[in-house]
Amino acid sequence: HYVKTLGVTGTKDTETQVLLQEFRIPCEPFPAKVLACLPPADYKIELEPGRLDMRHLPVLSIDPPGCKDIDDALHCIELPNGNWQ
């Protein structure tokens, strides 16, 4: 039975919506209460000595839901020579 139209089959946006719904991944906009916790738009991060800024890497957490310390993560990028890091 028909539920709703997501878009044109095969387009990136439509296929993304299909995956989000198929695997029940929450994708609603954050409520105002959550957005109020964000730092101001002009916030600058000051790195501590000895720390490396790795925000340019696509990183994802592998910690289980409900964990108290989010400290386990992975990243994977293709290197110029075709190898993977």
Side-chain angles (χ1 to χ4, degrees), residues 46-54:
E46 296 180 23
L47 291 177
E48 298 175 20
R51 297 201 64 155
L52 182 61
D53 184 355
M54 301 183 80

Side-chain angles (χ1 to χ4, degrees), residues 4 16-22 24-30:
K4 76 180 195 179
T16 298
Q17 287 303 312
V18 168
L19 291 171
L20 291 172
Q21 290 190 24
E22 181 178 348
R24 297 187 178 109
I25 298 170
C27 57
E28 299 82 25
F30 288 109

Side-chain angles (χ1 to χ4, degrees), residues 12-84:
K12 181 178 165 185
D13 289 341
T14 301
E15 297 304 318
T16 298
Q17 287 303 312
V18 168
L19 291 171
L20 291 172
Q21 290 190 24
E22 181 178 348
F23 293 101
R24 297 187 178 109
I25 298 170
C27 57
E28 299 82 25
F30 288 109
K33 187 175 180 179
V34 172
L35 295 175
C37 295
L38 292 173
D42 61 351
Y43 178 78
K44 301 284 187 230
I45 293 177
E46 296 180 23
L47 291 177
E48 298 175 20
R51 297 201 64 155
L52 182 61
D53 184 355
M54 301 183 80
R55 290 176 290 161
H56 63 284
L57 294 175
V59 177
L60 62 108
S61 170
I62 58 170
D63 287 300
C67 70
K68 301 296 182 205
D69 60 337
I70 301 175
D71 60 354
D72 298 312
L74 296 172
H75 89 279
C76 185
I77 57 173
E78 187 173 7
L79 300 174
N81 66 0
N83 290 340
W84 291 88

